[in-house]
Amino acid sequence: MLTLDKIYHASNVLKDVIHQTAIVQASAIDVDCDLYLKPECLQLTGSFKLRGSGYKISQLTDE
């Protein structure tokens, strides 16, 4: 089960791998809507998947 402790642990493990991405307002899409995007395309791999795969790899044993 996913817990807050596991999220904090993953955050700590990946702190040197993951770039902090800001939330940006996307008012050009719809001016009548408060829409915000989190541009994970700014990650090294261009994808949010770096978080999940990076953490999983960090938990592998030598075996």
Side-chain angles (χ1 to χ4, degrees):
M1 171 182 237
L2 184 61
T3 64
L4 195 53
D5 287 341
K6 288 181 182 178
I7 292 171
Y8 285 134
H9 181 255
S11 177
N12 187 46
V13 167
L14 298 173
K15 69 182 176 202
D16 295 329
V17 178
I18 303 296
H19 298 291
Q20 188 77 12
T21 53
I23 295 174
V24 295
Q25 188 171 16
S27 57
I29 294 175
D30 187 345
V31 294
D32 296 327
C33 178
D34 286 332
L35 180 64
Y36 295 86
L37 303 174
K38 189 161 179 12
E40 291 295 313
C41 58
L42 300 177
Q43 293 296 341
L44 182 62
T45 62
S47 172
F48 72 94
K49 295 172 184 163
L50 180 62
R51 296 177 195 276
S53 61
Y55 182 71
K56 190 67 172 178
I57 290 168
S58 77
Q59 301 304 297
L60 294 175
T61 63
D62 289 338
E63 187 180 311

